[in-house]
Amino acid sequence: MKIGFLIVDMQESIVRGRVEQKGIDHACEYINHVADVLRSSDHVVVHVQDIEGMEGSSPEEYRIISEVNVNEKDLTVTKESSNAFWQTELEPILKSHGIELVIISGFAAEECVLFTYNGAMERGFRPVILQNGILSTHQEAVTSTYRDRNVISYPVVDYLIK
């Protein structure tokens, strides 16, 4: 089974200053581990960047935060709405790679992560949320996302790959 790993909106202008550094470091530890495991077995890692309202902004504002490891094999998809599948190339990219399982991580649990999860489900993918890999400015949003959606832990990802 081919796996796609989506890292949603982990950008300077979106995350920095809105989430405590401790939370960013914690989530990125899990995000980077899963991304490395998947890359090592030729699965797909996609960085989803929100560019809505970014016309005229400097590229530094929407670049991926330094705590997230980016590899030259990773793909990037830009979006202008909360659902990363809405009016983007994400669906055809994942289908062209034969992706069935979509692991979703990033910011914000109650918005872009959740809407992208729903978008994946609507398009016939099997979405799961990476445990410890999502952030929000509201901790209760993270808790409810884990409670109400399918969740995968990094040891399960490791097991699936081996």
Side-chain angles (χ1 to χ4, degrees):
M1 168 179 34
K2 286 287 278 188
I3 300 170
F5 183 41
L6 307 183
I7 303 169
V8 178
D9 295 355
M10 293 296 281
Q11 298 162 242
E12 286 293 336
S13 64
I14 295 175
V15 176
R16 195 74 67 204
R18 295 176 74 190
V19 178
E20 288 184 21
Q21 188 62 45
K22 184 174 132 185
I24 292 171
D25 292 342
H26 180 76
C28 288
E29 181 180 344
Y30 290 86
I31 290 169
N32 290 331
H33 173 83
V34 169
D36 289 344
V37 166
L38 293 174
R39 286 182 195 113
S40 72
S41 297
D42 206 31
H43 293 274
V44 178
V45 175
V46 181
H47 298 274
V48 178
Q49 291 180 285
D50 192 333
I51 60 167
E52 182 181 15
M54 297 298 261
E55 304 84 15
S57 298
S58 71
E60 288 77 40
E61 290 186 48
Y62 55 90
R63 79 168 192 273
I64 306 298
I65 61 173
S66 59
E67 291 86 352
V68 172
N69 298 335
V70 180
N71 185 288
E72 67 274 356
K73 294 190 306 186
D74 296 352
L75 305 175
T76 302
V77 170
T78 59
K79 66 180 182 68
E80 293 191 46
S81 66
S82 296
N83 177 355
F85 288 92
W86 183 251
Q87 298 180 332
T88 70
E89 293 301 309
L90 184 56
E91 181 179 7
I93 287 169
L94 296 178
K95 286 187 174 176
S96 74
H97 285 88
I99 302 300
E100 296 173 46
L101 179 68
V102 177
I103 302 172
I104 303 168
S105 66
F107 183 86
E110 72 281 12
E111 206 168 311
C112 297
V113 168
L114 184 58
F115 290 14
T116 298
Y117 178 100
N118 293 340
M121 185 170 281
E122 291 166 352
R123 287 159 179 82
F125 297 102
R126 286 191 230 144
V128 292
I129 303 289
L130 177 61
Q131 186 176 39
N132 295 312
I134 61 173
L135 294 167
S136 175
T137 55
H138 310 287
Q139 188 53 44
E140 67 275 5
V142 172
T143 303
S144 68
T145 300
Y146 290 144
R147 184 191 62 231
D148 299 337
R149 299 293 182 271
N150 294 318
V151 177
I152 193 167
S153 64
Y154 81 88
V156 173
V157 175
D158 292 351
Y159 176 80
L160 288 174
I161 298 308
K162 291 183 177 32

